[in-house]
Each structure stands twice: as structure tokens, then as C-alpha cells.
Amino acid sequence: MEASLHSLLPHEHCKAQWKEMARRMGWKFPPLPKADLSDASLKNRSPFHHPQGSKALLQHTLADLIHFIGALNYEKLISLPHPASRYEVERVIVGITYERTGVDIEEIKPSSRFTYDLGID
């Protein structure tokens, strides 16, 4: 699960595969930023740099994608109002933070501070 999503999804079919996976599963997937899909971005990008200073979505791992999908679909995947574990509580908090603030899902971590890390007042 340590391979980047970019290495798992061929560029020429990436956007179509992304949409098809989401459709088949019936779940929300994080949106693919244009930077993740451009030829220049994929050919010239260092895995350690993203133009906005954060990782491009496709530079994340499969494990990261599972966490993002869990947060985006917490209402379908987690028994509310009684989450069973700390992990489930974290996914719900990340999901609600994403829904209410619009901060990119990959930027929200359980350790994030709203004001200092996410820029939320």
C-alpha cells in the first residue's frame, strides 16, 4: 500500500478509471485536481513538490486513498451516532471538516489544528 496512486493508475486512463471506480463502488472519491492530470505535471513533477506546496492527490498512497474515501463516505460506512473506534471518529471528523470548510480532503489530518494548519477561523 506504499506505492503512489500515480504508479497504480496509468496516466492515459486515469480520469476515466477514477470516475469508474467511484461509480462502481457507489462512493464519493476525492476530486482529481487538474495538476494531477496534466501531461507536464505527471512527467516533470518531483514526488516531493506540488505547486501549491502540498502533495498532489496522485502522489498519495493507496492507504491514504482508503482514508480519504472513508472520510468522504462516513455516513454510508460508519454507524452513526455511535462510531465504534477512534479511527471511525477520526474519519467522521475529517469528513465533516471537508464538507463544512471545503479544505482539500488530503490536507485534513486527525492532528490538524483548524486555525493554524487548515486556515479556518
Side-chain angles (χ1 to χ4, degrees):
M1 283 207 216
E2 293 302 319
S4 72
L5 295 173
H6 177 260
S7 68
L8 299 172
L9 295 169
H11 169 61
E12 59 274 3
H13 304 294
C14 184
K15 190 172 185 178
Q17 288 177 338
W18 198 256
K19 287 182 178 180
E20 181 63 13
M21 284 189 299
R23 186 190 67 76
R24 283 185 180 201
M25 295 174 89
W27 294 339
K28 298 175 195 169
F29 270 45
L32 281 176
K34 289 181 180 164
D36 276 326
L37 299 172
S38 73
D39 287 331
S41 174
L42 291 172
K43 289 177 185 170
N44 300 321
R45 183 187 322 140
S46 159
F48 305 108
H49 181 265
H50 185 262
Q52 287 77 34
S54 63
K55 260 183 171 177
L57 183 63
L58 291 179
Q59 292 297 324
H60 286 276
T61 66
L62 184 56
D64 293 332
L65 179 61
I66 291 167
H67 298 313
F68 303 153
I69 291 171
L72 290 170
N73 298 280
Y74 70 90
E75 291 178 292
K76 289 182 180 180
L77 301 173
I78 298 171
S79 294
L80 295 176
H82 306 291
S85 68
R86 179 180 176 160
Y87 179 78
E88 288 184 356
V89 171
E90 289 173 351
R91 293 302 95 207
V92 170
I93 291 169
V94 170
I96 291 171
T97 301
Y98 171 79
E99 289 173 351
R100 303 289 166 99
T101 67
V103 173
D104 291 340
I105 194 78
E106 64 270 16
E107 297 297 319
I108 306 168
K109 314 257 184 302
S111 62
S112 296
R113 297 170 293 176
F114 287 121
T115 302
Y116 297 108
D117 299 324
L118 303 176
I120 302 168
D121 287 331

